[in-house]
PDB file of all heavy atoms in Angstrom:
ATOM      1  N   PHE A   1      24.715  30.528 -36.522  1.00  0.00           N
ATOM      2  CA  PHE A   1      24.933  29.259 -37.216  1.00  0.00           C
ATOM      3  C   PHE A   1      26.268  29.246 -37.938  1.00  0.00           C
ATOM      4  O   PHE A   1      27.033  28.282 -37.839  1.00  0.00           O
ATOM      5  CB  PHE A   1      23.786  28.989 -38.200  1.00  0.00           C
ATOM      6  CG  PHE A   1      23.919  27.677 -38.916  1.00  0.00           C
ATOM      7  CD1 PHE A   1      23.619  26.501 -38.266  1.00  0.00           C
ATOM      8  CD2 PHE A   1      24.357  27.626 -40.226  1.00  0.00           C
ATOM      9  CE1 PHE A   1      23.739  25.276 -38.907  1.00  0.00           C
ATOM     10  CE2 PHE A   1      24.493  26.415 -40.878  1.00  0.00           C
ATOM     11  CZ  PHE A   1      24.181  25.234 -40.227  1.00  0.00           C
ATOM     12  N   VAL A   2      26.570  30.318 -38.658  1.00  0.00           N
ATOM     13  CA  VAL A   2      27.838  30.398 -39.383  1.00  0.00           C
ATOM     14  C   VAL A   2      29.012  30.400 -38.406  1.00  0.00           C
ATOM     15  O   VAL A   2      30.036  29.761 -38.657  1.00  0.00           O
ATOM     16  CB  VAL A   2      27.868  31.638 -40.308  1.00  0.00           C
ATOM     17  CG1 VAL A   2      29.250  31.873 -40.882  1.00  0.00           C
ATOM     18  CG2 VAL A   2      26.856  31.476 -41.429  1.00  0.00           C
ATOM     19  N   ALA A   3      28.876  31.077 -37.288  1.00  0.00           N
ATOM     20  CA  ALA A   3      29.943  31.096 -36.282  1.00  0.00           C
ATOM     21  C   ALA A   3      30.205  29.697 -35.733  1.00  0.00           C
ATOM     22  O   ALA A   3      31.365  29.294 -35.562  1.00  0.00           O
ATOM     23  CB  ALA A   3      29.589  32.052 -35.149  1.00  0.00           C
ATOM     24  N   VAL A   4      29.153  28.940 -35.472  1.00  0.00           N
ATOM     25  CA  VAL A   4      29.317  27.573 -34.966  1.00  0.00           C
ATOM     26  C   VAL A   4      29.997  26.687 -36.019  1.00  0.00           C
ATOM     27  O   VAL A   4      30.913  25.925 -35.707  1.00  0.00           O
ATOM     28  CB  VAL A   4      27.951  26.980 -34.540  1.00  0.00           C
ATOM     29  CG1 VAL A   4      28.044  25.483 -34.308  1.00  0.00           C
ATOM     30  CG2 VAL A   4      27.439  27.693 -33.304  1.00  0.00           C
ATOM     31  N   VAL A   5      29.564  26.808 -37.262  1.00  0.00           N
ATOM     32  CA  VAL A   5      30.164  26.004 -38.329  1.00  0.00           C
ATOM     33  C   VAL A   5      31.637  26.375 -38.520  1.00  0.00           C
ATOM     34  O   VAL A   5      32.505  25.494 -38.600  1.00  0.00           O
ATOM     35  CB  VAL A   5      29.378  26.172 -39.651  1.00  0.00           C
ATOM     36  CG1 VAL A   5      30.135  25.565 -40.820  1.00  0.00           C
ATOM     37  CG2 VAL A   5      28.001  25.551 -39.520  1.00  0.00           C
ATOM     38  N   LEU A   6      31.936  27.670 -38.576  1.00  0.00           N
ATOM     39  CA  LEU A   6      33.321  28.096 -38.746  1.00  0.00           C
ATOM     40  C   LEU A   6      34.178  27.715 -37.546  1.00  0.00           C
ATOM     41  O   LEU A   6      35.351  27.352 -37.698  1.00  0.00           O
ATOM     42  CB  LEU A   6      33.399  29.609 -38.990  1.00  0.00           C
ATOM     43  CG  LEU A   6      32.947  30.078 -40.366  1.00  0.00           C
ATOM     44  CD1 LEU A   6      32.978  31.603 -40.438  1.00  0.00           C
ATOM     45  CD2 LEU A   6      33.805  29.476 -41.463  1.00  0.00           C
ATOM     46  N   ARG A   7      33.620  27.789 -36.362  1.00  0.00           N
ATOM     47  CA  ARG A   7      34.365  27.384 -35.160  1.00  0.00           C
ATOM     48  C   ARG A   7      34.693  25.894 -35.218  1.00  0.00           C
ATOM     49  O   ARG A   7      35.794  25.481 -34.866  1.00  0.00           O
ATOM     50  CB  ARG A   7      33.549  27.711 -33.910  1.00  0.00           C
ATOM     51  CG  ARG A   7      34.220  27.320 -32.621  1.00  0.00           C
ATOM     52  CD  ARG A   7      35.435  28.186 -32.360  1.00  0.00           C
ATOM     53  NE  ARG A   7      36.012  27.777 -31.090  1.00  0.00           N
ATOM     54  CZ  ARG A   7      37.299  27.515 -30.910  1.00  0.00           C
ATOM     55  NH1 ARG A   7      38.138  27.658 -31.893  1.00  0.00           N
ATOM     56  NH2 ARG A   7      37.733  27.144 -29.737  1.00  0.00           N
ATOM     57  N   GLY A   8      33.748  25.102 -35.666  1.00  0.00           N
ATOM     58  CA  GLY A   8      33.995  23.675 -35.825  1.00  0.00           C
ATOM     59  C   GLY A   8      35.061  23.387 -36.868  1.00  0.00           C
ATOM     60  O   GLY A   8      35.942  22.545 -36.662  1.00  0.00           O
ATOM     61  N   LEU A   9      35.011  24.095 -37.984  1.00  0.00           N
ATOM     62  CA  LEU A   9      36.032  23.923 -39.019  1.00  0.00           C
ATOM     63  C   LEU A   9      37.398  24.396 -38.532  1.00  0.00           C
ATOM     64  O   LEU A   9      38.417  23.791 -38.876  1.00  0.00           O
ATOM     65  CB  LEU A   9      35.621  24.673 -40.284  1.00  0.00           C
ATOM     66  CG  LEU A   9      34.440  24.084 -41.052  1.00  0.00           C
ATOM     67  CD1 LEU A   9      34.004  25.028 -42.170  1.00  0.00           C
ATOM     68  CD2 LEU A   9      34.786  22.714 -41.610  1.00  0.00           C
ATOM     69  N   ASP A  10      37.419  25.453 -37.737  1.00  0.00           N
ATOM     70  CA  ASP A  10      38.669  25.925 -37.159  1.00  0.00           C
ATOM     71  C   ASP A  10      39.218  24.910 -36.159  1.00  0.00           C
ATOM     72  O   ASP A  10      40.423  24.666 -36.096  1.00  0.00           O
ATOM     73  CB  ASP A  10      38.446  27.280 -36.476  1.00  0.00           C
ATOM     74  CG  ASP A  10      39.729  27.946 -36.033  1.00  0.00           C
ATOM     75  OD1 ASP A  10      40.768  27.738 -36.682  1.00  0.00           O
ATOM     76  OD2 ASP A  10      39.685  28.694 -35.034  1.00  0.00           O
ATOM     77  N   PHE A  11      38.344  24.279 -35.411  1.00  0.00           N
ATOM     78  CA  PHE A  11      38.752  23.285 -34.416  1.00  0.00           C
ATOM     79  C   PHE A  11      39.429  22.080 -35.057  1.00  0.00           C
ATOM     80  O   PHE A  11      40.421  21.567 -34.547  1.00  0.00           O
ATOM     81  CB  PHE A  11      37.531  22.839 -33.602  1.00  0.00           C
ATOM     82  CG  PHE A  11      37.845  21.834 -32.542  1.00  0.00           C
ATOM     83  CD1 PHE A  11      38.520  22.210 -31.387  1.00  0.00           C
ATOM     84  CD2 PHE A  11      37.474  20.509 -32.691  1.00  0.00           C
ATOM     85  CE1 PHE A  11      38.818  21.288 -30.405  1.00  0.00           C
ATOM     86  CE2 PHE A  11      37.768  19.575 -31.716  1.00  0.00           C
ATOM     87  CZ  PHE A  11      38.440  19.967 -30.567  1.00  0.00           C
ATOM     88  N   VAL A  12      38.890  21.630 -36.186  1.00  0.00           N
ATOM     89  CA  VAL A  12      39.478  20.473 -36.862  1.00  0.00           C
ATOM     90  C   VAL A  12      40.624  20.862 -37.791  1.00  0.00           C
ATOM     91  O   VAL A  12      41.260  20.002 -38.383  1.00  0.00           O
ATOM     92  CB  VAL A  12      38.424  19.649 -37.637  1.00  0.00           C
ATOM     93  CG1 VAL A  12      37.381  19.099 -36.702  1.00  0.00           C
ATOM     94  CG2 VAL A  12      37.810  20.448 -38.749  1.00  0.00           C
ATOM     95  N   GLY A  13      40.871  22.153 -37.939  1.00  0.00           N
ATOM     96  CA  GLY A  13      41.986  22.624 -38.748  1.00  0.00           C
ATOM     97  C   GLY A  13      41.704  22.740 -40.234  1.00  0.00           C
ATOM     98  O   GLY A  13      42.626  22.871 -41.036  1.00  0.00           O
ATOM     99  N   ALA A  14      40.445  22.692 -40.613  1.00  0.00           N
ATOM    100  CA  ALA A  14      40.092  22.763 -42.027  1.00  0.00           C
ATOM    101  C   ALA A  14      40.036  24.201 -42.552  1.00  0.00           C
ATOM    102  O   ALA A  14      40.318  24.446 -43.723  1.00  0.00           O
ATOM    103  CB  ALA A  14      38.757  22.083 -42.268  1.00  0.00           C
ATOM    104  N   LEU A  15      39.678  25.147 -41.691  1.00  0.00           N
ATOM    105  CA  LEU A  15      39.486  26.528 -42.124  1.00  0.00           C
ATOM    106  C   LEU A  15      39.612  27.441 -40.916  1.00  0.00           C
ATOM    107  O   LEU A  15      39.137  27.103 -39.833  1.00  0.00           O
ATOM    108  CB  LEU A  15      38.087  26.671 -42.737  1.00  0.00           C
ATOM    109  CG  LEU A  15      37.739  27.889 -43.555  1.00  0.00           C
ATOM    110  CD1 LEU A  15      38.575  27.926 -44.832  1.00  0.00           C
ATOM    111  CD2 LEU A  15      36.273  27.874 -43.932  1.00  0.00           C
ATOM    112  N   ASP A  16      40.265  28.568 -41.087  1.00  0.00           N
ATOM    113  CA  ASP A  16      40.409  29.517 -39.979  1.00  0.00           C
ATOM    114  C   ASP A  16      39.146  30.352 -39.818  1.00  0.00           C
ATOM    115  O   ASP A  16      38.501  30.722 -40.793  1.00  0.00           O
ATOM    116  CB  ASP A  16      41.588  30.458 -40.214  1.00  0.00           C
ATOM    117  CG  ASP A  16      42.926  29.742 -40.106  1.00  0.00           C
ATOM    118  OD1 ASP A  16      42.982  28.731 -39.392  1.00  0.00           O
ATOM    119  OD2 ASP A  16      43.886  30.199 -40.739  1.00  0.00           O
ATOM    120  N   LEU A  17      38.814  30.650 -38.579  1.00  0.00           N
ATOM    121  CA  LEU A  17      37.683  31.518 -38.266  1.00  0.00           C
ATOM    122  C   LEU A  17      38.163  32.960 -38.303  1.00  0.00           C
ATOM    123  O   LEU A  17      38.988  33.375 -37.495  1.00  0.00           O
ATOM    124  CB  LEU A  17      37.115  31.194 -36.882  1.00  0.00           C
ATOM    125  CG  LEU A  17      36.042  32.124 -36.320  1.00  0.00           C
ATOM    126  CD1 LEU A  17      34.832  32.141 -37.232  1.00  0.00           C
ATOM    127  CD2 LEU A  17      35.643  31.696 -34.936  1.00  0.00           C
ATOM    128  N   THR A  18      37.676  33.716 -39.295  1.00  0.00           N
ATOM    129  CA  THR A  18      38.025  35.132 -39.416  1.00  0.00           C
ATOM    130  C   THR A  18      36.744  35.944 -39.544  1.00  0.00           C
ATOM    131  O   THR A  18      35.692  35.421 -39.933  1.00  0.00           O
ATOM    132  CB  THR A  18      38.918  35.388 -40.648  1.00  0.00           C
ATOM    133  OG1 THR A  18      38.198  35.043 -41.828  1.00  0.00           O
ATOM    134  CG2 THR A  18      40.219  34.594 -40.580  1.00  0.00           C
ATOM    135  N   ILE A  19      36.845  37.204 -39.230  1.00  0.00           N
ATOM    136  CA  ILE A  19      35.685  38.099 -39.319  1.00  0.00           C
ATOM    137  C   ILE A  19      35.155  38.206 -40.755  1.00  0.00           C
ATOM    138  O   ILE A  19      33.940  38.128 -40.970  1.00  0.00           O
ATOM    139  CB  ILE A  19      36.017  39.493 -38.729  1.00  0.00           C
ATOM    140  CG1 ILE A  19      36.351  39.374 -37.243  1.00  0.00           C
ATOM    141  CG2 ILE A  19      34.871  40.472 -38.946  1.00  0.00           C
ATOM    142  CD1 ILE A  19      35.219  38.856 -36.383  1.00  0.00           C
ATOM    143  N   PRO A  20      36.024  38.391 -41.760  1.00  0.00           N
ATOM    144  CA  PRO A  20      35.473  38.458 -43.131  1.00  0.00           C
ATOM    145  C   PRO A  20      34.727  37.193 -43.548  1.00  0.00           C
ATOM    146  O   PRO A  20      33.685  37.274 -44.201  1.00  0.00           O
ATOM    147  CB  PRO A  20      36.715  38.661 -44.001  1.00  0.00           C
ATOM    148  CG  PRO A  20      37.708  39.312 -43.105  1.00  0.00           C
ATOM    149  CD  PRO A  20      37.453  38.721 -41.752  1.00  0.00           C
ATOM    150  N   ARG A  21      35.228  36.031 -43.154  1.00  0.00           N
ATOM    151  CA  ARG A  21      34.519  34.789 -43.472  1.00  0.00           C
ATOM    152  C   ARG A  21      33.182  34.730 -42.745  1.00  0.00           C
ATOM    153  O   ARG A  21      32.190  34.248 -43.294  1.00  0.00           O
ATOM    154  CB  ARG A  21      35.362  33.578 -43.096  1.00  0.00           C
ATOM    155  CG  ARG A  21      36.452  33.310 -44.068  1.00  0.00           C
ATOM    156  CD  ARG A  21      37.129  31.990 -43.801  1.00  0.00           C
ATOM    157  NE  ARG A  21      38.143  31.778 -44.804  1.00  0.00           N
ATOM    158  CZ  ARG A  21      39.366  31.371 -44.555  1.00  0.00           C
ATOM    159  NH1 ARG A  21      39.719  31.075 -43.321  1.00  0.00           N
ATOM    160  NH2 ARG A  21      40.240  31.232 -45.529  1.00  0.00           N
ATOM    161  N   LEU A  22      33.156  35.200 -41.514  1.00  0.00           N
ATOM    162  CA  LEU A  22      31.913  35.228 -40.757  1.00  0.00           C
ATOM    163  C   LEU A  22      30.891  36.149 -41.420  1.00  0.00           C
ATOM    164  O   LEU A  22      29.724  35.791 -41.565  1.00  0.00           O
ATOM    165  CB  LEU A  22      32.173  35.671 -39.318  1.00  0.00           C
ATOM    166  CG  LEU A  22      30.964  35.745 -38.399  1.00  0.00           C
ATOM    167  CD1 LEU A  22      30.368  34.364 -38.182  1.00  0.00           C
ATOM    168  CD2 LEU A  22      31.334  36.372 -37.078  1.00  0.00           C
ATOM    169  N   VAL A  23      31.334  37.314 -41.844  1.00  0.00           N
ATOM    170  CA  VAL A  23      30.433  38.283 -42.488  1.00  0.00           C
ATOM    171  C   VAL A  23      29.911  37.744 -43.818  1.00  0.00           C
ATOM    172  O   VAL A  23      28.707  37.777 -44.087  1.00  0.00           O
ATOM    173  CB  VAL A  23      31.145  39.641 -42.680  1.00  0.00           C
ATOM    174  CG1 VAL A  23      30.332  40.566 -43.552  1.00  0.00           C
ATOM    175  CG2 VAL A  23      31.439  40.288 -41.338  1.00  0.00           C
ATOM    176  N   VAL A  24      30.816  37.216 -44.650  1.00  0.00           N
ATOM    177  CA  VAL A  24      30.401  36.693 -45.958  1.00  0.00           C
ATOM    178  C   VAL A  24      29.478  35.493 -45.782  1.00  0.00           C
ATOM    179  O   VAL A  24      28.450  35.386 -46.469  1.00  0.00           O
ATOM    180  CB  VAL A  24      31.641  36.329 -46.813  1.00  0.00           C
ATOM    181  CG1 VAL A  24      31.241  35.552 -48.053  1.00  0.00           C
ATOM    182  CG2 VAL A  24      32.407  37.583 -47.196  1.00  0.00           C
ATOM    183  N   GLY A  25      29.811  34.608 -44.872  1.00  0.00           N
ATOM    184  CA  GLY A  25      28.963  33.450 -44.619  1.00  0.00           C
ATOM    185  C   GLY A  25      27.587  33.841 -44.106  1.00  0.00           C
ATOM    186  O   GLY A  25      26.573  33.272 -44.518  1.00  0.00           O
ATOM    187  N   THR A  26      27.552  34.823 -43.216  1.00  0.00           N
ATOM    188  CA  THR A  26      26.276  35.288 -42.677  1.00  0.00           C
ATOM    189  C   THR A  26      25.414  35.904 -43.774  1.00  0.00           C
ATOM    190  O   THR A  26      24.218  35.601 -43.882  1.00  0.00           O
ATOM    191  CB  THR A  26      26.507  36.313 -41.550  1.00  0.00           C
ATOM    192  OG1 THR A  26      27.257  35.689 -40.509  1.00  0.00           O
ATOM    193  CG2 THR A  26      25.193  36.835 -41.003  1.00  0.00           C
ATOM    194  N   LEU A  27      26.007  36.750 -44.591  1.00  0.00           N
ATOM    195  CA  LEU A  27      25.236  37.369 -45.681  1.00  0.00           C
ATOM    196  C   LEU A  27      24.752  36.336 -46.689  1.00  0.00           C
ATOM    197  O   LEU A  27      23.620  36.417 -47.165  1.00  0.00           O
ATOM    198  CB  LEU A  27      26.080  38.446 -46.371  1.00  0.00           C
ATOM    199  CG  LEU A  27      26.385  39.679 -45.529  1.00  0.00           C
ATOM    200  CD1 LEU A  27      27.309  40.624 -46.296  1.00  0.00           C
ATOM    201  CD2 LEU A  27      25.121  40.390 -45.112  1.00  0.00           C
ATOM    202  N   ALA A  28      25.603  35.353 -46.995  1.00  0.00           N
ATOM    203  CA  ALA A  28      25.206  34.303 -47.931  1.00  0.00           C
ATOM    204  C   ALA A  28      24.051  33.479 -47.365  1.00  0.00           C
ATOM    205  O   ALA A  28      23.090  33.171 -48.076  1.00  0.00           O
ATOM    206  CB  ALA A  28      26.399  33.408 -48.248  1.00  0.00           C
ATOM    207  N   LEU A  29      24.141  33.133 -46.090  1.00  0.00           N
ATOM    208  CA  LEU A  29      23.062  32.350 -45.471  1.00  0.00           C
ATOM    209  C   LEU A  29      21.776  33.170 -45.364  1.00  0.00           C
ATOM    210  O   LEU A  29      20.678  32.635 -45.567  1.00  0.00           O
ATOM    211  CB  LEU A  29      23.491  31.837 -44.097  1.00  0.00           C
ATOM    212  CG  LEU A  29      22.533  30.871 -43.420  1.00  0.00           C
ATOM    213  CD1 LEU A  29      22.273  29.646 -44.293  1.00  0.00           C
ATOM    214  CD2 LEU A  29      23.085  30.464 -42.071  1.00  0.00           C
ATOM    215  N   MET A  30      21.903  34.455 -45.072  1.00  0.00           N
ATOM    216  CA  MET A  30      20.709  35.319 -45.023  1.00  0.00           C
ATOM    217  C   MET A  30      20.038  35.377 -46.390  1.00  0.00           C
ATOM    218  O   MET A  30      18.810  35.292 -46.487  1.00  0.00           O
ATOM    219  CB  MET A  30      21.085  36.732 -44.562  1.00  0.00           C
ATOM    220  CG  MET A  30      21.358  36.857 -43.096  1.00  0.00           C
ATOM    221  SD  MET A  30      21.784  38.537 -42.632  1.00  0.00           S
ATOM    222  CE  MET A  30      20.227  39.375 -42.889  1.00  0.00           C
TER     223      MET A  30
END
């Protein structure tokens, strides 16, 4: 879920998809 959201934000140019953001987002959502 976090990967899809970050990919969408990266697509529109709002936020870059990076591994640390993916990890932090995943842990926060968990």
Side-chain angles (χ1 to χ4, degrees):
F1 182 76
V2 170
V4 167
V5 169
L6 287 176
R7 179 69 179 131
L9 290 172
D10 189 30
F11 181 73
V12 298
L15 194 65
D16 290 333
L17 172 60
T18 62
I19 297 298
R21 283 189 178 134
L22 180 65
V23 170
V24 169
T26 300
L27 292 176
L29 187 57
M30 284 180 68

